[in-house]
Amino acid sequence: MAINPMKAESKAAVGIAILAKAPIAGLAKTRLIPRLGPAGAASLQAWLLRRTVATALAADLGSVSLWCTPEIEHSEFAHCSSLGALTLKLQPDGDLGQRMHAAIADSVAPGGTLVIGTDCPVLSPELLRQAADALHEHDAVVIPAEDGGYVLIGLRRPDWRVFEDVAWSSAQVMAQTRQRLAEAGLRWQELSPLWDVDHGADLDRLRLTFPGACP
């Protein structure tokens, strides 16, 4: 019986790489410290971290790696490793683009790699599966953020050009990324935008959606 190549390819495992800061008071979620205080912001980061790891593991797409900063030994990272099959890695030096590229380049998942942070609590296992499905059909997949960035990017194979000369942490990130993808000749799919938790105004939305998520 003949095998449909596209159907076979669609079953290829897709890796998930999570870039995360340790929930250390004064280091984590610094833009929210005026609203929550250093300890409260760190507590929120711990909640977001655990939720993101659980979501990635529940998606059941392939290998999941947690790229830690500034240290790999933090107790919250150890807790996350107890939730399932999770590989802890230390983030390399460099800007956000260099760190995302390193995570993709390190992956051996045959179907490509999805890179996410921990700031988007509404990212679900089903959305990760949709992103993986898109990656089976395209060179790249992106979930934009409502603030002009993105909450997920996936590549079938490493390509540094996608992350070059991007104004990280600005409202131009998604627009510049579209330009980089086009310049690299890559075919990509975008899913519907999602919101993340970066600023004080996001906390009210978070509390309404997830009561008890933060102090």
Side-chain angles (χ1 to χ4, degrees):
M1 181 177 65
I3 297 176
N4 185 328
M6 187 59 68
K7 184 176 182 180
E9 183 183 13
S10 69
K11 296 180 180 179
V14 172
I16 301 176
I18 306 166
L19 271 60
K21 279 186 178 180
I24 298 172
L27 174 70
K29 308 303 293 179
T30 54
R31 285 180 286 189
L32 297 178
I33 288 177
R35 285 280 300 270
L36 298 175
S43 177
L44 172 59
Q45 173 63 10
W47 183 87
L48 289 166
L49 171 63
R50 293 187 182 196
R51 180 176 178 83
T52 302
V53 170
T55 296
L57 292 170
D60 194 26
L61 294 172
S63 61
V64 180
S65 56
L66 180 61
W67 290 77
C68 311
T69 190
E71 60 187 22
I72 202 170
E73 296 83 7
H74 193 278
S75 60
E76 278 296 330
F77 294 145
H79 171 80
C80 287
S81 68
S82 72
L83 298 177
L86 182 72
T87 302
L88 300 184
K89 294 179 178 287
L90 186 66
Q91 290 187 33
D93 294 332
D95 65 19
L96 179 58
Q98 291 170 311
R99 287 178 278 134
M100 288 194 289
H101 173 71
I104 294 173
D106 182 79
S107 175
V108 296
T113 306
L114 307 175
V115 180
I116 59 177
T118 60
D119 292 339
C120 182
V122 291
L123 189 63
S124 66
E126 177 56 33
L127 286 170
L128 288 172
R129 295 185 195 112
Q130 290 179 26
D133 288 342
L135 200 57
H136 288 134
E137 305 291 337
H138 300 79
D139 301 311
V141 59
V142 189
I143 300 182
E146 292 180 359
D147 62 6
Y150 55 76
V151 303
L152 174 151
I153 188 166
L155 293 176
R156 290 281 294 275
R157 59 190 61 84
D159 194 326
W160 165 242
R161 295 172 294 178
V162 176
F163 305 108
E164 194 171 17
D165 295 327
V166 174
W168 303 111
S169 300
S170 77
Q172 289 74 50
V173 168
M174 189 63 230
Q176 292 175 340
T177 298
R178 291 188 184 103
Q179 184 177 354
R180 301 295 175 269
L181 288 164
E183 290 170 348
L186 301 179
R187 298 179 305 112
W188 77 94
Q189 180 175 338
E190 295 182 24
L191 305 186
S192 298
L194 299 176
W195 58 277
D196 51 18
V197 183
D198 279 328
H199 303 283
D202 301 320
L203 291 176
D204 298 328
R205 194 173 187 178
L206 179 67
R207 289 187 172 113
L208 286 173
T209 309
F210 303 98
C214 59

